[in-house]
Structure formats: structure tokens, C-alpha cells
Amino acid sequence: MKINGGIPLKGTVKTQGAKNAALPVIAVCLLLRNGTLTLDNVPDLYDINTMLELIKDLGVEIEINRDEKNSQVIFKVPGEIKWEVSETLARKMRGSSLLLGPLLASCGKVSLPLPGGCSIGARPIDLHLKGLKQMGADIEIQNGVVHAKINGRLRGRRIYLDFPSVGATENLMMAASLAQGETIIENIAREPEIDNLAAVLRSVGVTVELEGAGGVRIQGVEKVSSGCERVIPDRIEACTYILAGVMTGGHIKVEDVVPSHIDAILAKLEESGANFKVKKDTVEIFPNKKRLHPVTIKTLPYPGFPTDAQPQMAATLALAQGVSTIEESVFQARFLYAQELNRMGADIKIARDVAIIRGVEKLQGANVKATDLRAGAALIMAGLAAEGETIVEDMVHVWRGYEAVDKKLKSLGAQVELL
Ligand code: EPZ
């Protein structure tokens, strides 16, 4: 994407359905037999379409109804589905690990290629497998493929997660839905995606009680029914546009936002002196009178500062007045974008898992490469704020998580062009 920078963004943009909420709730359809699951507000993204391909390949019929008001996907599940996941499709996306729990629970077995790592660090699924083993599954890994099976049904258990892993929480909640008896999972992830998954599981007849102290209690059922639910707004996409408005000194409104989902970002923006107003489901950004103050950030599981907004926040702080630090505590290597931002005149030093960001007056346009989804977003934001022309290569990473980003930016007055 080619960007002619230095133009303050103006106008209104509406968020898409959340990528990281849609992926697990799509997998819920695999728990059904001879039933339909209807999901609204499903975003049109590479990763979502890969997931839909995976589901279709397993034998589920899919009907997509997309118009400017809604994008609905109806999953028509037959009496039997396949339990072997296609290697080519599974390797395209990490989210494929979310097929483990529902396929094992409903077919009694599953073969799934181990998801590959990616540029933000190793992406093991040991916590997913440990929980499924505790529920009675036999699991072997041969030639990079996970083979899991269960004689009879999974058994409800009390499970403690060593880390509040989002994916492990989601896989185990789906597996517990068809297990015998009650499952209690402690120390679960509390990202809003988990509440969305609980709502979809309830819609198909599963009793799910999220407990305040970071646990969930699920009563397994013999068979789930048809159901329907709506995917929540994408909190990370919302943060990306909010920060782009701040970086370009623009005046924009981001609609279809759940403010409580982005408390950590809004708190840091307030601390840095950004000029914005929060209403029921919108955030309005106004031009800043002066440069942002520096802030100190540590990424944490929800409700802490989200690691998925870390690169975008680093780009924003690259223009602050002073030295900010961001400690990345969730992933091992999520700073690859820093040297690309430095090619645009930023001054970011990485000391192990901390980025030290010395603010500069201006960024200059340059040719840069997206290394992963959120890094790509950060580089686009920097290009919008920089003087001159920026070309962001490897946009394929950005299309994985940002629907129609060129059209949305053009509607905000940005001069962008796909090459
Ligand atoms: C989800 O990944 C998101 N992806 C990620 O978003 C997000 O960054 C992450 O949660 C944290 O919020 C989807 O929802 C599809 P984790 P997930 O399991 O489930 C370690 C984006 O940009 N871990 O909470 O893989 C792991 O290595 C993507 O949209 C284990 O060690 O995240 C990591 O360091 C990037 N063993 C940490 O936990 C396990 O079994 C967090 O992982 C599982 C995870």
C-alpha cells in the first residue's frame, strides 16, 4: 500500500466484527449435528475466510449473506462430519488450533497439524493439550500432527490453566460443552472474546457460568441444539483507528465500539494528554494542541494493556514528547516492527522484552515491510502521520485482520493506493 502522509484524518469509521471473537465462535458449529448455527457481524478477513474453508472441508455447508449492514454466516451441519483437518489450510492460520476441542468432543477423535510459529514468537498449544488429557483424551504428536482420541465421552474435570491462555480457554470451554458432567476451568483468559464464546455456547443450549474470580463452570450436554448469536465489535481494530486519528492530529469518530473493552488503551491515551471523548458506543478524537506526554506500558492478559495493540501504541509514542517504555510480557518477540519504524525516523531501542521509545518531532515516509498483522497496522499508521510517501509491503499480513483498510482510510481522507 502506498501512503501519502501528513494529512490529518477526518470523518467517521465503523469497526468490523472482531476477528479473535469470530474464529472461536465459528468453531462452535462443529459441536452441532443435524443443526444450524447462525452468526451475525462476521468480518470479511483472510483469517476468517481460511477458517470457513477449513469448516467447509470438514463437511459443513456454509451460506454467507453479506451486505453493507450485516454479514451473516449460516452453518448447516449434517449428521456426520470429518475429523481430519486439512494440512494446507491448517498451516495458513494459527486459529486452526481452535478446531481441536470441538472436533474431539463431537467426533471422539481429531487429527490436526500443529500450528506453525509466527513472527511474534513460539505459539505452543501445550496448555490446550494438557487440559484435554485431563478430560480423558489420549493424545500423540507424530510428524507434526496432533492425533487425539477419546473412548466414549470426555469427562468433566476441574482444570487449572498455568497461564490465562485465550486459545486454551476457548478450546477447553468448547470441549467441556459435550463432556460428561461439570467442568470448572480456573485462571481463564477474560478477554471479551471469552464472553462472546460463552454467549454462543448458551445459544446452542450449554450452561456456562463465568465466575468473577477468573473461572468458568460448564455443564456438559449430550447434544447441542441450533443457535444464533452476534460477533462483538473488534476492539483491536477500533484501537488502531483511534490511535491513527491521534497520530495524524485528526478529528475522527470511531463507531460500534464497546468502550469497556478498550479501557486500558483509553487510560493510557488520557495519561498521555490525547484529546478525545467517549460516548455509549463511539470514541471521538480531536486534534491535539501539543505532542503527547510519554507513558510507561506493560502488556498483560485482559483487562491489562492488550499485546495486540502494542505495535500501534509504539508508533503513536514515537511522536510523543519524551521517552516512553513498553514491556511486552505476553509474547516473546513482538518488536520486529521497531527497526522498520526507525527507518522512518523513529528512535526505538529494544532491550530484551522492553522497547525504549524516544519521541521525535516528525517521521519521514520510507519503504517498509509488514512482519505480522499488528506490525503492519503500526507501519500504516506511521505512514499516515509521516511527511512524504511510504510504501508498506507484504500487506497480506494486514488483510488477515483488517477488513477493507484502504477503503476505510480513504473514507477518512487519507491518500492511500494499493499497488
Ligand atoms: C490469541 O492468541 C489471539 N489470537 C492473539 O491475537 C492475541 O495476541 C493472544 O490471544 C493474546 O491476547 C486469536 O484469538 C486467534 P494465548 P493465542 O494462548 O490464543 C503462551 C492477533 O494479532 N501459550 O493467550 O494464541 C503463548 O506462547 C493475534 O490478532 C503457551 O505457552 O494466545 C503466548 O506467549 C496475535 N502455551 C501466551 O501464552 C499454550 O498452550 C499467550 O498466548 C498457549 C499459549
Side-chain angles (χ1 to χ4, degrees):
M1 182 192 280
K2 182 164 81 171
I3 304 163
N4 184 11
I7 303 165
L9 298 181
K10 281 195 178 13
T12 299
V13 66
K14 185 181 167 307
T15 60
Q16 67 197 26
K19 165 177 89 79
N20 292 349
L23 287 169
V25 298
I26 286 170
V28 168
C29 76
L30 299 173
L31 293 172
L32 276 71
R33 290 294 180 276
N34 296 318
T36 60
L37 175 69
T38 303
L39 295 175
D40 286 322
N41 201 29
V42 178
D44 182 4
L45 299 167
Y46 268 26
D47 274 6
I48 297 298
N49 295 331
T50 302
M51 192 65 152
L52 295 179
E53 283 305 307
L54 278 164
I55 298 286
K56 231 186 302 192
D57 185 69
L58 292 170
V60 176
E61 194 192 321
I62 288 178
E63 182 189 321
I64 300 178
N65 311 314
R66 275 201 179 111
D67 60 34
E68 62 288 335
K69 274 196 291 304
N70 181 20
S71 64
Q72 180 184 74
V73 181
I74 301 174
F75 301 89
K76 295 169 186 164
V77 191
E80 283 285 306
I81 61 170
K82 279 168 54 186
W83 44 270
E84 283 172 304
V85 178
S86 130
E87 169 111 23
T88 34
L89 285 168
R91 293 297 308 260
K92 278 172 75 176
M93 179 197 55
R94 298 209 22 78
S96 53
S97 56
L98 293 171
L99 303 177
L100 258 180
L103 280 177
L104 178 62
S106 70
C107 301
K109 50 189 168 184
V110 53
S111 288
L112 176 93
L114 267 178
C118 56
S119 57
I120 59 177
R123 306 291 295 273
I125 57 169
D126 54 305
L127 299 179
H128 304 229
L129 302 180
K130 182 178 168 190
L132 293 173
K133 276 186 194 147
Q134 285 179 283
M135 296 172 81
D138 293 322
I139 297 181
E140 276 179 16
I141 298 181
Q142 277 153 357
N143 313 100
V145 177
V146 177
H147 298 281
K149 66 179 187 320
I150 175 86
N151 301 321
R153 284 172 70 190
L154 290 168
R155 287 183 297 283
R157 284 287 307 269
R158 173 184 287 275
I159 296 168
Y160 175 81
L161 281 179
D162 300 347
F163 177 85
S165 151
V166 173
T169 303
E170 293 163 344
N171 247 329
L172 295 174
M173 281 174 68
M174 291 189 277
S177 302
L178 289 179
Q180 193 147 12
E182 177 180 78
T183 300
I184 295 174
I185 312 170
E186 314 262 272
N187 193 28
I188 60 168
R190 295 313 308 259
E191 274 70 3
E193 299 81 274
I194 304 300
D195 300 281
N196 206 187
L197 174 60
V200 174
L201 289 175
R202 289 188 196 108
S203 85
V204 298
V206 182
T207 307
V208 183
E209 288 158 278
L210 285 161
E211 284 152 9
V216 65
R217 185 188 294 266
I218 295 174
Q219 307 300 336
V221 293
E222 292 263 339
K223 188 175 175 347
V224 295
S225 62
S226 295
C228 65
E229 252 303 337
R230 181 178 176 74
V231 174
I232 55 174
D234 194 315
R235 60 196 170 97
I236 303 301
E237 189 211 20
C239 295
T240 306
Y241 283 100
I242 288 168
L243 292 172
V246 171
M247 276 189 87
T248 57
H251 177 191
I252 68 167
K253 220 187 257 184
V254 182
E255 294 183 332
D256 208 6
V257 173
V258 179
S260 63
H261 290 176
I262 56 173
D263 269 344
I265 305 274
L266 297 177
K268 285 296 168 185
L269 273 181
E270 188 158 1
E271 196 183 317
S272 68
N275 190 355
F276 64 96
K277 201 183 282 160
V278 182
K279 298 194 186 102
K280 193 169 77 53
D281 59 1
T282 61
V283 174
E284 188 169 3
I285 304 294
F286 301 94
N288 296 349
K289 300 192 181 33
K290 52 191 186 323
R291 288 167 66 189
L292 297 183
H293 312 306
V295 292
T296 299
I297 292 173
K298 175 173 184 177
T299 67
L300 286 167
Y302 193 89
F305 192 96
T307 173
D308 288 351
Q310 181 259 98
Q312 300 92 309
M313 194 64 180
T316 306
L317 295 172
L319 292 172
Q321 171 98 38
V323 182
S324 304
T325 59
I326 302 185
E327 183 183 348
E328 171 56 57
S329 81
V330 176
F331 284 105
Q332 296 151 329
R334 199 167 198 171
F335 292 123
L336 286 181
Y337 62 85
Q339 76 257 20
E340 295 299 298
L341 283 177
N342 289 345
R343 299 185 63 245
M344 300 176 72
D347 178 354
I348 303 176
K349 288 187 180 42
I350 306 298
R352 278 194 312 290
D353 52 3
V354 179
I356 301 157
I357 305 164
R358 185 178 300 280
V360 294
E361 287 264 351
K362 273 275 166 209
L363 295 173
Q364 297 105 32
N367 291 355
V368 290
K369 268 183 180 306
T371 47
D372 65 85
L373 162 58
R374 307 300 174 185
L379 293 170
I380 290 173
M381 292 161 59
L384 293 168
E387 279 171 344
E389 181 179 282
T390 295
I391 293 184
V392 178
E393 291 174 29
D394 296 346
M395 279 290 291
V396 63
H397 293 290
V398 179
W399 297 123
R400 288 184 47 209
Y402 287 91
E403 188 176 305
V405 60
D406 56 322
K407 294 187 184 68
K408 288 191 174 185
L409 288 176
K410 276 185 186 145
S411 75
L412 292 172
Q415 286 182 14
V416 299
E417 182 194 342
L418 291 181
L419 302 178

